[in-house]
Amino acid sequence: MLILGIETSCDDTAAAVLRDGRTILANMVSSQDQVHGPYGGVVPELASRQHIKNVLPIVDGALRKAGVKLMDLDGIAVTYGPGLVGSLLVGLSLVKGMSFRSGIPYVGVNHLEAHLLAIHLEQEVAFPYIALLASGGHTLLYCVNGVGDYAHLGGTRDDAAGEAFDKVAKMMGLGYPGGRIIDNLAREGDPKAIRFPRDRMKKSAYEFSFSGIKTAVWHYLGSQGKGRWEAQRADIAASFQEAVVDMLVSPTINAALARDVKRIVLSGGVAANSRLRAKMKEQAEDEGLQVFYPAPKFCTDNGAMIALAGYHWLKRGRRDDFGLNADADLTL
Ligand code: KG4
Ligand code: ZN
């Protein structure tokens, strides 16, 4: 089964071709980091315009790289939510047009579901597993029992983890998106240099909160003055990152232990974080749990995970009609 997957929910225009749910023939992304960089965050109107410009070249490029023609496809999968409504509409409208003209069936994919399943692009992980989905827009904890069977366990009370990375990077004038920049800078710093507070939730609640740490960094920068904190940039990055990682690791491991689930899967852009990967693994292994994470290119938004989620639904016979609309607040 040959599936084209298209993703335009936020600021990445991505397309991939996947064969039989396991062989990635092409996976292309056009990032808009340069466009949104000067603003320190995604500007929705600019994002949709960039998608309009980039989506056809990316889709054509993916088909060409895969060596397939549109009419070879068995189905098309496209993100229809959650995300920025203008951005979602670009991908969804294109796919409806392609499907209408060619007669190739299409399905709308829930972006969150695609992140939860992305691990299967590279390796087999048995169900059930506890999935931590941490990205720029979401911080969620699920028990994934199988395709289509997701038990929501908890999530953030305020900001998403990726948002905290992006905002702290912005405060420090480091650039956008901030996660990877802080990850790299932190390698040169001491994670124990500054003790930023960890918001501790009830052990059973599986909740996260990142607004406190953001404010704590803001106050720290103010208390030091620019001349002094600039010399401590790496230590601030490492100490901030360590606090965020601690707040992500504890509820995830607690959830696995409480539900007696032996596997933990990381997903979403923040799952690319090197310290999160290392610390989650170290602490989970102490508890006899296994940790799995996708390659960084499958943690951040990509077309392959959309194709994979679409593959499962198309295989089960689902077909969407042309009445399907973009849903910015779609839940799982
Ligand atoms: O999944 P994603 O590409 O888009 C959303 O669906 O939001 O995630 C993007 C987020 C951004 O906030 C970015 O700063 C963060 O993931 N991110 C990272 C790293 N790479 C990307 N955060 C921490 N460490 C990283 N290495
Ligand atoms: Zn995402």
Side-chain angles (χ1 to χ4, degrees), residues 274-305:
S274 61
R275 186 63 188 139
L276 174 65
R277 290 156 93 102
K279 200 159 189 178
M280 186 75 81
K281 204 170 169 86
E282 193 186 296
Q283 296 202 356
E285 281 173 1
D286 285 347
E287 302 285 353
L289 308 170
Q290 276 182 292
V291 177
F292 304 87
Y293 34 73
K297 66 178 173 191
F298 299 127
C299 288
T300 48
D301 291 347
N302 65 88
M305 69 179 190

PDB file of all heavy atoms in Angstrom, residues 274-305:
ATOM      1  N   SER A 274      18.371  16.090  23.870  1.00  0.00           N
ATOM      2  CA  SER A 274      19.355  15.058  24.233  1.00  0.00           C
ATOM      3  C   SER A 274      19.334  14.754  25.735  1.00  0.00           C
ATOM      4  O   SER A 274      19.468  13.608  26.146  1.00  0.00           O
ATOM      5  CB  SER A 274      20.749  15.475  23.797  1.00  0.00           C
ATOM      6  OG  SER A 274      21.107  16.672  24.445  1.00  0.00           O
ATOM      7  N   ARG A 275      19.126  15.782  26.561  1.00  0.00           N
ATOM      8  CA  ARG A 275      19.118  15.556  28.008  1.00  0.00           C
ATOM      9  C   ARG A 275      17.862  14.793  28.431  1.00  0.00           C
ATOM     10  O   ARG A 275      17.917  13.918  29.287  1.00  0.00           O
ATOM     11  CB  ARG A 275      19.223  16.908  28.734  1.00  0.00           C
ATOM     12  CG  ARG A 275      19.375  16.812  30.213  1.00  0.00           C
ATOM     13  CD  ARG A 275      20.658  16.117  30.649  1.00  0.00           C
ATOM     14  NE  ARG A 275      20.655  15.892  32.089  1.00  0.00           N
ATOM     15  CZ  ARG A 275      21.091  14.784  32.684  1.00  0.00           C
ATOM     16  NH1 ARG A 275      21.596  13.787  31.973  1.00  0.00           N
ATOM     17  NH2 ARG A 275      21.048  14.670  33.997  1.00  0.00           N
ATOM     18  N   LEU A 276      16.725  15.118  27.821  1.00  0.00           N
ATOM     19  CA  LEU A 276      15.478  14.398  28.134  1.00  0.00           C
ATOM     20  C   LEU A 276      15.641  12.921  27.775  1.00  0.00           C
ATOM     21  O   LEU A 276      15.253  12.041  28.554  1.00  0.00           O
ATOM     22  CB  LEU A 276      14.295  14.997  27.357  1.00  0.00           C
ATOM     23  CG  LEU A 276      12.974  14.241  27.501  1.00  0.00           C
ATOM     24  CD1 LEU A 276      12.445  14.279  28.936  1.00  0.00           C
ATOM     25  CD2 LEU A 276      11.901  14.806  26.556  1.00  0.00           C
ATOM     26  N   ARG A 277      16.211  12.651  26.616  1.00  0.00           N
ATOM     27  CA  ARG A 277      16.377  11.263  26.176  1.00  0.00           C
ATOM     28  C   ARG A 277      17.260  10.497  27.157  1.00  0.00           C
ATOM     29  O   ARG A 277      16.941   9.381  27.577  1.00  0.00           O
ATOM     30  CB  ARG A 277      16.989  11.246  24.764  1.00  0.00           C
ATOM     31  CG  ARG A 277      16.013  11.733  23.701  1.00  0.00           C
ATOM     32  CD  ARG A 277      16.708  12.269  22.472  1.00  0.00           C
ATOM     33  NE  ARG A 277      16.894  11.296  21.424  1.00  0.00           N
ATOM     34  CZ  ARG A 277      16.155  11.195  20.326  1.00  0.00           C
ATOM     35  NH1 ARG A 277      15.151  12.021  20.137  1.00  0.00           N
ATOM     36  NH2 ARG A 277      16.401  10.284  19.420  1.00  0.00           N
ATOM     37  N   ALA A 278      18.385  11.131  27.545  1.00  0.00           N
ATOM     38  CA  ALA A 278      19.337  10.447  28.428  1.00  0.00           C
ATOM     39  C   ALA A 278      18.761  10.237  29.828  1.00  0.00           C
ATOM     40  O   ALA A 278      18.833   9.145  30.388  1.00  0.00           O
ATOM     41  CB  ALA A 278      20.627  11.259  28.503  1.00  0.00           C
ATOM     42  N   LYS A 279      18.143  11.294  30.372  1.00  0.00           N
ATOM     43  CA  LYS A 279      17.679  11.192  31.764  1.00  0.00           C
ATOM     44  C   LYS A 279      16.464  10.265  31.892  1.00  0.00           C
ATOM     45  O   LYS A 279      16.348   9.518  32.851  1.00  0.00           O
ATOM     46  CB  LYS A 279      17.359  12.581  32.324  1.00  0.00           C
ATOM     47  CG  LYS A 279      17.350  12.610  33.842  1.00  0.00           C
ATOM     48  CD  LYS A 279      17.539  14.002  34.404  1.00  0.00           C
ATOM     49  CE  LYS A 279      17.741  13.953  35.912  1.00  0.00           C
ATOM     50  NZ  LYS A 279      17.980  15.270  36.491  1.00  0.00           N
ATOM     51  N   MET A 280      15.577  10.336  30.896  1.00  0.00           N
ATOM     52  CA  MET A 280      14.410   9.444  30.924  1.00  0.00           C
ATOM     53  C   MET A 280      14.887   7.995  30.889  1.00  0.00           C
ATOM     54  O   MET A 280      14.388   7.150  31.635  1.00  0.00           O
ATOM     55  CB  MET A 280      13.499   9.741  29.724  1.00  0.00           C
ATOM     56  CG  MET A 280      12.187   8.977  29.738  1.00  0.00           C
ATOM     57  SD  MET A 280      10.982   9.618  30.923  1.00  0.00           S
ATOM     58  CE  MET A 280      10.282  10.992  30.025  1.00  0.00           C
ATOM     59  N   LYS A 281      15.857   7.726  30.040  1.00  0.00           N
ATOM     60  CA  LYS A 281      16.364   6.359  29.888  1.00  0.00           C
ATOM     61  C   LYS A 281      17.011   5.871  31.189  1.00  0.00           C
ATOM     62  O   LYS A 281      16.697   4.792  31.681  1.00  0.00           O
ATOM     63  CB  LYS A 281      17.396   6.344  28.744  1.00  0.00           C
ATOM     64  CG  LYS A 281      17.553   4.989  28.113  1.00  0.00           C
ATOM     65  CD  LYS A 281      18.383   5.099  26.843  1.00  0.00           C
ATOM     66  CE  LYS A 281      18.772   3.732  26.370  1.00  0.00           C
ATOM     67  NZ  LYS A 281      17.856   3.041  25.542  1.00  0.00           N
ATOM     68  N   GLU A 282      17.861   6.739  31.721  1.00  0.00           N
ATOM     69  CA  GLU A 282      18.586   6.379  32.943  1.00  0.00           C
ATOM     70  C   GLU A 282      17.611   6.066  34.095  1.00  0.00           C
ATOM     71  O   GLU A 282      17.693   5.017  34.731  1.00  0.00           O
ATOM     72  CB  GLU A 282      19.433   7.605  33.287  1.00  0.00           C
ATOM     73  CG  GLU A 282      20.508   7.447  34.303  1.00  0.00           C
ATOM     74  CD  GLU A 282      21.104   8.843  34.563  1.00  0.00           C
ATOM     75  OE1 GLU A 282      21.695   9.423  33.618  1.00  0.00           O
ATOM     76  OE2 GLU A 282      20.939   9.363  35.690  1.00  0.00           O
ATOM     77  N   GLN A 283      16.652   6.974  34.305  1.00  0.00           N
ATOM     78  CA  GLN A 283      15.752   6.791  35.455  1.00  0.00           C
ATOM     79  C   GLN A 283      14.755   5.663  35.216  1.00  0.00           C
ATOM     80  O   GLN A 283      14.386   4.956  36.143  1.00  0.00           O
ATOM     81  CB  GLN A 283      15.032   8.107  35.765  1.00  0.00           C
ATOM     82  CG  GLN A 283      16.031   9.173  36.196  1.00  0.00           C
ATOM     83  CD  GLN A 283      15.401  10.286  37.010  1.00  0.00           C
ATOM     84  OE1 GLN A 283      14.193  10.325  37.213  1.00  0.00           O
ATOM     85  NE2 GLN A 283      16.215  11.208  37.476  1.00  0.00           N
ATOM     86  N   ALA A 284      14.323   5.503  33.960  1.00  0.00           N
ATOM     87  CA  ALA A 284      13.364   4.435  33.662  1.00  0.00           C
ATOM     88  C   ALA A 284      14.036   3.079  33.820  1.00  0.00           C
ATOM     89  O   ALA A 284      13.439   2.144  34.366  1.00  0.00           O
ATOM     90  CB  ALA A 284      12.824   4.601  32.251  1.00  0.00           C
ATOM     91  N   GLU A 285      15.272   2.993  33.365  1.00  0.00           N
ATOM     92  CA  GLU A 285      15.970   1.702  33.467  1.00  0.00           C
ATOM     93  C   GLU A 285      16.186   1.293  34.926  1.00  0.00           C
ATOM     94  O   GLU A 285      16.111   0.120  35.255  1.00  0.00           O
ATOM     95  CB  GLU A 285      17.283   1.738  32.672  1.00  0.00           C
ATOM     96  CG  GLU A 285      16.975   1.540  31.187  1.00  0.00           C
ATOM     97  CD  GLU A 285      18.165   1.715  30.239  1.00  0.00           C
ATOM     98  OE1 GLU A 285      19.290   1.978  30.717  1.00  0.00           O
ATOM     99  OE2 GLU A 285      17.944   1.595  29.026  1.00  0.00           O
ATOM    100  N   ASP A 286      16.385   2.286  35.793  1.00  0.00           N
ATOM    101  CA  ASP A 286      16.486   1.983  37.232  1.00  0.00           C
ATOM    102  C   ASP A 286      15.215   1.339  37.757  1.00  0.00           C
ATOM    103  O   ASP A 286      15.232   0.628  38.760  1.00  0.00           O
ATOM    104  CB  ASP A 286      16.726   3.275  38.034  1.00  0.00           C
ATOM    105  CG  ASP A 286      18.160   3.770  37.883  1.00  0.00           C
ATOM    106  OD1 ASP A 286      18.992   2.992  37.373  1.00  0.00           O
ATOM    107  OD2 ASP A 286      18.429   4.932  38.267  1.00  0.00           O
ATOM    108  N   GLU A 287      14.097   1.617  37.100  1.00  0.00           N
ATOM    109  CA  GLU A 287      12.795   1.069  37.531  1.00  0.00           C
ATOM    110  C   GLU A 287      12.413  -0.155  36.698  1.00  0.00           C
ATOM    111  O   GLU A 287      11.273  -0.621  36.768  1.00  0.00           O
ATOM    112  CB  GLU A 287      11.688   2.136  37.372  1.00  0.00           C
ATOM    113  CG  GLU A 287      11.918   3.423  38.143  1.00  0.00           C
ATOM    114  CD  GLU A 287      11.672   3.267  39.650  1.00  0.00           C
ATOM    115  OE1 GLU A 287      11.195   2.195  40.069  1.00  0.00           O
ATOM    116  OE2 GLU A 287      11.986   4.222  40.391  1.00  0.00           O
ATOM    117  N   GLY A 288      13.331  -0.605  35.851  1.00  0.00           N
ATOM    118  CA  GLY A 288      13.035  -1.789  35.025  1.00  0.00           C
ATOM    119  C   GLY A 288      12.147  -1.489  33.827  1.00  0.00           C
ATOM    120  O   GLY A 288      11.488  -2.380  33.297  1.00  0.00           O
ATOM    121  N   LEU A 289      12.124  -0.219  33.394  1.00  0.00           N
ATOM    122  CA  LEU A 289      11.291   0.162  32.242  1.00  0.00           C
ATOM    123  C   LEU A 289      12.188   0.409  31.029  1.00  0.00           C
ATOM    124  O   LEU A 289      13.349   0.789  31.176  1.00  0.00           O
ATOM    125  CB  LEU A 289      10.521   1.459  32.556  1.00  0.00           C
ATOM    126  CG  LEU A 289       9.721   1.492  33.862  1.00  0.00           C
ATOM    127  CD1 LEU A 289       9.240   2.910  34.136  1.00  0.00           C
ATOM    128  CD2 LEU A 289       8.544   0.530  33.775  1.00  0.00           C
ATOM    129  N   GLN A 290      11.613   0.229  29.833  1.00  0.00           N
ATOM    130  CA  GLN A 290      12.368   0.502  28.605  1.00  0.00           C
ATOM    131  C   GLN A 290      11.902   1.827  28.011  1.00  0.00           C
ATOM    132  O   GLN A 290      10.711   2.146  28.062  1.00  0.00           O
ATOM    133  CB  GLN A 290      12.065  -0.572  27.569  1.00  0.00           C
ATOM    134  CG  GLN A 290      12.880  -1.835  27.681  1.00  0.00           C
ATOM    135  CD  GLN A 290      12.487  -2.768  26.555  1.00  0.00           C
ATOM    136  OE1 GLN A 290      11.367  -3.269  26.538  1.00  0.00           O
ATOM    137  NE2 GLN A 290      13.388  -2.987  25.621  1.00  0.00           N
ATOM    138  N   VAL A 291      12.839   2.567  27.427  1.00  0.00           N
ATOM    139  CA  VAL A 291      12.485   3.846  26.788  1.00  0.00           C
ATOM    140  C   VAL A 291      12.831   3.798  25.302  1.00  0.00           C
ATOM    141  O   VAL A 291      13.905   3.331  24.924  1.00  0.00           O
ATOM    142  CB  VAL A 291      13.231   5.023  27.455  1.00  0.00           C
ATOM    143  CG1 VAL A 291      12.928   6.331  26.743  1.00  0.00           C
ATOM    144  CG2 VAL A 291      12.827   5.130  28.917  1.00  0.00           C
ATOM    145  N   PHE A 292      11.908   4.293  24.476  1.00  0.00           N
ATOM    146  CA  PHE A 292      12.113   4.341  23.029  1.00  0.00           C
ATOM    147  C   PHE A 292      11.883   5.770  22.548  1.00  0.00           C
ATOM    148  O   PHE A 292      10.978   6.437  23.031  1.00  0.00           O
ATOM    149  CB  PHE A 292      11.109   3.427  22.306  1.00  0.00           C
ATOM    150  CG  PHE A 292      11.160   2.004  22.774  1.00  0.00           C
ATOM    151  CD1 PHE A 292      10.410   1.594  23.871  1.00  0.00           C
ATOM    152  CD2 PHE A 292      11.950   1.065  22.122  1.00  0.00           C
ATOM    153  CE1 PHE A 292      10.460   0.275  24.318  1.00  0.00           C
ATOM    154  CE2 PHE A 292      12.004  -0.249  22.551  1.00  0.00           C
ATOM    155  CZ  PHE A 292      11.255  -0.642  23.650  1.00  0.00           C
ATOM    156  N   TYR A 293      12.708   6.214  21.604  1.00  0.00           N
ATOM    157  CA  TYR A 293      12.441   7.528  21.007  1.00  0.00           C
ATOM    158  C   TYR A 293      12.800   7.514  19.534  1.00  0.00           C
ATOM    159  O   TYR A 293      13.752   6.869  19.121  1.00  0.00           O
ATOM    160  CB  TYR A 293      13.172   8.666  21.730  1.00  0.00           C
ATOM    161  CG  TYR A 293      14.531   8.335  22.289  1.00  0.00           C
ATOM    162  CD1 TYR A 293      15.623   8.158  21.454  1.00  0.00           C
ATOM    163  CD2 TYR A 293      14.702   8.222  23.665  1.00  0.00           C
ATOM    164  CE1 TYR A 293      16.877   7.864  21.981  1.00  0.00           C
ATOM    165  CE2 TYR A 293      15.946   7.930  24.185  1.00  0.00           C
ATOM    166  CZ  TYR A 293      17.033   7.744  23.340  1.00  0.00           C
ATOM    167  OH  TYR A 293      18.261   7.447  23.864  1.00  0.00           O
ATOM    168  N   PRO A 294      12.028   8.248  18.730  1.00  0.00           N
ATOM    169  CA  PRO A 294      12.314   8.305  17.295  1.00  0.00           C
ATOM    170  C   PRO A 294      13.556   9.161  17.015  1.00  0.00           C
ATOM    171  O   PRO A 294      13.964   9.962  17.862  1.00  0.00           O
ATOM    172  CB  PRO A 294      11.075   9.000  16.701  1.00  0.00           C
ATOM    173  CG  PRO A 294      10.064   9.091  17.798  1.00  0.00           C
ATOM    174  CD  PRO A 294      10.817   9.023  19.086  1.00  0.00           C
ATOM    175  N   ALA A 295      14.135   9.008  15.829  1.00  0.00           N
ATOM    176  CA  ALA A 295      15.209   9.905  15.390  1.00  0.00           C
ATOM    177  C   ALA A 295      14.657  11.334  15.431  1.00  0.00           C
ATOM    178  O   ALA A 295      13.457  11.531  15.218  1.00  0.00           O
ATOM    179  CB  ALA A 295      15.631   9.551  13.973  1.00  0.00           C
ATOM    180  N   PRO A 296      15.509  12.333  15.710  1.00  0.00           N
ATOM    181  CA  PRO A 296      15.017  13.710  15.808  1.00  0.00           C
ATOM    182  C   PRO A 296      14.113  14.141  14.647  1.00  0.00           C
ATOM    183  O   PRO A 296      13.113  14.830  14.857  1.00  0.00           O
ATOM    184  CB  PRO A 296      16.307  14.537  15.862  1.00  0.00           C
ATOM    185  CG  PRO A 296      17.278  13.626  16.541  1.00  0.00           C
ATOM    186  CD  PRO A 296      16.954  12.239  16.052  1.00  0.00           C
ATOM    187  N   LYS A 297      14.422  13.716  13.405  1.00  0.00           N
ATOM    188  CA  LYS A 297      13.587  14.157  12.267  1.00  0.00           C
ATOM    189  C   LYS A 297      12.172  13.579  12.318  1.00  0.00           C
ATOM    190  O   LYS A 297      11.275  14.078  11.651  1.00  0.00           O
ATOM    191  CB  LYS A 297      14.262  13.817  10.941  1.00  0.00           C
ATOM    192  CG  LYS A 297      14.384  12.345  10.655  1.00  0.00           C
ATOM    193  CD  LYS A 297      15.026  12.096   9.300  1.00  0.00           C
ATOM    194  CE  LYS A 297      15.289  10.602   9.154  1.00  0.00           C
ATOM    195  NZ  LYS A 297      16.117  10.261   8.037  1.00  0.00           N
ATOM    196  N   PHE A 298      11.966  12.502  13.105  1.00  0.00           N
ATOM    197  CA  PHE A 298      10.619  11.968  13.268  1.00  0.00           C
ATOM    198  C   PHE A 298       9.978  12.418  14.586  1.00  0.00           C
ATOM    199  O   PHE A 298       8.843  12.073  14.878  1.00  0.00           O
ATOM    200  CB  PHE A 298      10.624  10.439  13.170  1.00  0.00           C
ATOM    201  CG  PHE A 298      11.115   9.941  11.835  1.00  0.00           C
ATOM    202  CD1 PHE A 298      12.140   9.014  11.754  1.00  0.00           C
ATOM    203  CD2 PHE A 298      10.557  10.424  10.659  1.00  0.00           C
ATOM    204  CE1 PHE A 298      12.607   8.569  10.526  1.00  0.00           C
ATOM    205  CE2 PHE A 298      11.011   9.986   9.413  1.00  0.00           C
ATOM    206  CZ  PHE A 298      12.045   9.056   9.350  1.00  0.00           C
ATOM    207  N   CYS A 299      10.747  13.164  15.417  1.00  0.00           N
ATOM    208  CA  CYS A 299      10.173  13.779  16.625  1.00  0.00           C
ATOM    209  C   CYS A 299       9.468  15.069  16.220  1.00  0.00           C
ATOM    210  O   CYS A 299       8.326  15.316  16.603  1.00  0.00           O
ATOM    211  CB  CYS A 299      11.264  14.115  17.634  1.00  0.00           C
ATOM    212  SG  CYS A 299      11.998  12.694  18.443  1.00  0.00           S
ATOM    213  N   THR A 300      10.175  15.904  15.451  1.00  0.00           N
ATOM    214  CA  THR A 300       9.563  17.152  14.993  1.00  0.00           C
ATOM    215  C   THR A 300       8.576  16.826  13.859  1.00  0.00           C
ATOM    216  O   THR A 300       8.543  15.695  13.359  1.00  0.00           O
ATOM    217  CB  THR A 300      10.643  18.145  14.513  1.00  0.00           C
ATOM    218  OG1 THR A 300      11.532  17.444  13.650  1.00  0.00           O
ATOM    219  CG2 THR A 300      11.443  18.712  15.669  1.00  0.00           C
ATOM    220  N   ASP A 301       7.798  17.827  13.457  1.00  0.00           N
ATOM    221  CA  ASP A 301       6.725  17.575  12.487  1.00  0.00           C
ATOM    222  C   ASP A 301       7.286  17.039  11.166  1.00  0.00           C
ATOM    223  O   ASP A 301       8.262  17.570  10.639  1.00  0.00           O
ATOM    224  CB  ASP A 301       5.933  18.868  12.264  1.00  0.00           C
ATOM    225  CG  ASP A 301       5.144  19.247  13.504  1.00  0.00           C
ATOM    226  OD1 ASP A 301       5.029  18.393  14.420  1.00  0.00           O
ATOM    227  OD2 ASP A 301       4.650  20.384  13.571  1.00  0.00           O
ATOM    228  N   ASN A 302       6.641  16.020  10.656  1.00  0.00           N
ATOM    229  CA  ASN A 302       7.113  15.376   9.419  1.00  0.00           C
ATOM    230  C   ASN A 302       5.953  14.702   8.708  1.00  0.00           C
ATOM    231  O   ASN A 302       4.915  14.415   9.317  1.00  0.00           O
ATOM    232  CB  ASN A 302       8.221  14.364   9.768  1.00  0.00           C
ATOM    233  CG  ASN A 302       7.719  13.214  10.623  1.00  0.00           C
ATOM    234  OD1 ASN A 302       7.262  12.213  10.097  1.00  0.00           O
ATOM    235  ND2 ASN A 302       7.755  13.366  11.944  1.00  0.00           N
ATOM    236  N   GLY A 303       6.139  14.446   7.425  1.00  0.00           N
ATOM    237  CA  GLY A 303       5.074  13.834   6.622  1.00  0.00           C
ATOM    238  C   GLY A 303       4.980  12.327   6.822  1.00  0.00           C
ATOM    239  O   GLY A 303       3.907  11.738   6.664  1.00  0.00           O
ATOM    240  N   ALA A 304       6.114  11.693   7.197  1.00  0.00           N
ATOM    241  CA  ALA A 304       6.124  10.228   7.317  1.00  0.00           C
ATOM    242  C   ALA A 304       5.161   9.758   8.406  1.00  0.00           C
ATOM    243  O   ALA A 304       4.440   8.763   8.236  1.00  0.00           O
ATOM    244  CB  ALA A 304       7.547   9.751   7.602  1.00  0.00           C
ATOM    245  N   MET A 305       5.120  10.481   9.534  1.00  0.00           N
ATOM    246  CA  MET A 305       4.218  10.045  10.619  1.00  0.00           C
ATOM    247  C   MET A 305       2.751  10.235  10.221  1.00  0.00           C
ATOM    248  O   MET A 305       1.881   9.478  10.665  1.00  0.00           O
ATOM    249  CB  MET A 305       4.542  10.785  11.933  1.00  0.00           C
ATOM    250  CG  MET A 305       4.216  12.266  11.939  1.00  0.00           C
ATOM    251  SD  MET A 305       4.618  13.013  13.541  1.00  0.00           S
ATOM    252  CE  MET A 305       3.862  14.638  13.325  1.00  0.00           C
TER     253      MET A 305
END
